[in-house]
Amino acid sequence: MISVGDHAPAGVADRRRDVRSQQALAEWAAVIAITAIAVVLRAVFVGEQSLGYEEAFTASIVNQSTFAAVWHGVKATESTPPLYYVLTWLWVKLSGSQSETALRMTSLLAGSLTVPASFLAMRQLVSARLALIVAWLAALSPVLVGYSIYARSYALLVLVAALSVWALGAVLEQPSWRRWTLWGLAAAVCLWTHYFAAFLLVAEVAVLFVKLPNARVRLVLCLGGVAVATSPLWSVFRSQSGASERTSYIAAEPLSGRLEGLVRQFAMGTNVPTSWLEGAGIALAAAAAAFAVVRTHRQAATRMLGALAIVGAGLPILSAVSGIDDHLLARNVLGVWVCVAPFAAYGLTRLRSLPLLAYSAICIATVIAVQSDWRYQGSTDWRGASVRIEAQARGEPVAVEPGLELAVAGHYLHRTQLLAAVSTTNLWVMVQPARGAGERALSPVANPLLTQLWGTQFHPVGEIDYHGFRLIHLRANAPTVVAPAPANNGPITTPSAFVLGP
């Protein structure tokens, strides 16, 4: 009996280890499969769209030959930290390509890696099953897919924020020096990626301060290390904050609309083709999250994730409402996505996961509809329009409406802005399509500024229409002077037009 008793616990322990090992293998197999789906859903669209207005700045920065030039470019033209641009610059140098795909590869990789990072973070804080659902939502989320094929830092922000939450959970589980160092490293990378990550980190610091009272000295030392690691950012931040016109458009938009946009984009992304599709997705996600809050509000993990989300998004909202500093946009607070997603994931798994199936179908349909149709894509088709006008306008100046898009048009036409007035009898005008008030789809501009900007000497003699663009050929009876910018060119933040040289 003693012999049997001695060996039984060992056998039970072995079986338990085998079960845990099999469960872990099954979980990671599922994570790998979900990550593969995320990669495919992003890769098929990554090179489809032309570069957008902001992406043109990324292209200009990573085209520099030296790291110092990249650093200067970020200070001179951006309002975010330099990590994303440095990584993209390195990738462009290694790949030898500056195609749309190459410029967006950092975002694609970050968006895809957000799937396992979200799983790790949520398995640390809640459960493996719920973590898998969060990973699934990260793979299909229209807003995360959209920014994964956009050459800016937002997809990287979501990834590093998820890693910081994972490191936070690791410290709370076992506050060893190794794990503190891991969290400090994640915090520093967050700040090197996006300034708004600081709001989430404030919430994480508060959690660590409250939950680990005996480790506050370590917390202070860790924060000191973060301060040292991010000290080079101060010169970048000072240079960028001195050029307020770069982000002045944000505060000019109604705050109520931006708050509404925060909910809509977190749930369904941007430019959803139909109101019923968007409404169904928002209703499912919001109802699921509300259900989770009601059912799990007493759980420690729920309270902590809720606090991270509330502080991470609430501080920017409070700053905007109070007028202290208004840079509130949904994309700037995407770092809290990983803290909000578990609430939606919990609610969507009710009723035998039928809500999850419905929401997943809506997300996939939305991603395909938006990313495969120029009317709903985030960027207009400057690449295709440039191909169609290039041969027609050879040797002749090309005006760009609106003027903000000059860099994008110049990128695809391989031209630079006209520096001095020229005399010509022919002028081509590229008029970008736009969304009217309350409209979801792009459409051609009905009454572009022609006579108001270029005078009565020029009159239209032809037009090419392509994907909403109006490529208008103007001709004058006698040589007429065309300036780099029209005399009545609107405000400096939204110029009506600029001209590319012949």
Side-chain angles (χ1 to χ4, degrees), residues 45-58:
F45 298 116
V46 68
E48 287 296 306
Q49 297 183 43
S50 303
L51 296 179
Y53 167 71
E54 293 179 325
E55 290 179 297
F57 287 99
T58 301

Side-chain angles (χ1 to χ4, degrees), residues 66-376:
T66 65
F67 175 81
V70 171
W71 187 270
H72 175 74
V74 172
K75 293 173 68 173
T77 65
E78 297 303 317
S79 57
T80 51
L83 179 60
Y84 176 86
Y85 308 97
V86 171
L87 293 176
T88 304
W89 175 70
L90 290 172
W91 172 257
V92 166
K93 293 299 180 186
L94 288 172
S95 66
S97 171
Q98 286 198 351
S99 66
E100 290 87 353
T101 299
L103 290 170
R104 294 166 178 156
M105 189 56 63
T106 303
S107 294
L108 189 149
L109 291 175
S112 301
L113 290 174
T114 295
V115 172
S118 298
F119 171 76
L120 285 170
M122 291 305 105
R123 187 182 65 171
Q124 189 83 37
L125 296 174
V126 284
S127 67
R129 179 176 179 272
L130 194 62
L132 284 173
I133 304 302
V134 172
W136 175 250
L137 295 180
L140 303 184
S141 166
V143 70
L144 297 193
V145 172
Y147 283 117
S148 295
I149 54 176
Y150 191 60
R152 302 294 283 179
S153 61
Y154 305 109
L156 186 61
L157 168 63
V158 181
L159 171 63
V160 297
L163 292 175
S164 76
V165 173
W166 170 49
L168 171 68
V171 172
L172 293 175
E173 181 185 59
Q174 183 184 337
S176 64
W177 271 116
R178 181 179 179 181
R179 296 193 177 195
W180 276 106
T181 303
L182 178 66
W183 178 81
L185 178 62
V189 173
C190 281
L191 293 174
W192 275 91
T193 301
H194 201 287
Y195 297 126
F196 268 63
F199 297 113
L200 176 62
L201 295 178
V202 167
E204 292 182 7
V205 169
V207 168
L208 292 169
F209 185 84
V210 171
K211 289 189 170 291
L212 298 176
N214 296 327
R216 288 172 181 170
V217 172
R218 291 190 177 187
L219 174 60
V220 171
L221 292 174
C222 193
L223 290 175
V226 172
V228 171
T230 56
S231 57
L233 285 178
W234 283 109
S235 65
V236 178
F237 180 76
R238 284 195 299 269
S239 297
Q240 293 172 342
S241 59
S244 59
E245 71 276 2
R246 297 179 197 170
T247 55
S248 59
Y249 70 94
I250 297 177
E253 298 179 14
L255 181 58
S256 59
R258 286 180 282 145
L259 291 173
E260 177 187 331
L262 194 154
V263 175
R264 293 173 66 177
Q265 290 188 40
F266 266 57
M268 289 299 296
T270 58
N271 306 329
V272 183
T274 61
S275 58
W276 69 262
L277 190 67
E278 182 181 40
I282 292 174
L284 280 170
F291 176 83
V293 170
V294 172
R295 288 291 299 270
T296 66
H297 69 279
R298 295 182 182 277
Q299 297 179 12
T302 298
R303 291 197 297 270
M304 188 180 75
L305 288 171
L308 293 177
I310 290 171
V311 175
L315 287 179
I317 292 173
L318 181 62
S319 178
V321 171
S322 64
I324 296 174
D325 184 71
D326 188 359
H327 289 85
L328 178 67
L329 285 176
R331 62 189 187 183
N332 287 339
V333 295
L334 272 177
V336 304
W337 184 92
V338 72
C339 304
V340 175
F343 294 93
Y346 180 89
L348 290 170
T349 56
R350 304 302 97 181
L351 301 175
R352 298 183 179 181
S353 293
L354 290 177
L356 178 62
L357 292 173
Y359 183 68
S360 299
I362 290 172
C363 286
I364 293 173
T366 297
V367 169
I368 294 173
V370 170
Q371 303 303 336
S372 61
D373 191 332
W374 64 267
R375 296 172 181 83
Y376 306 105

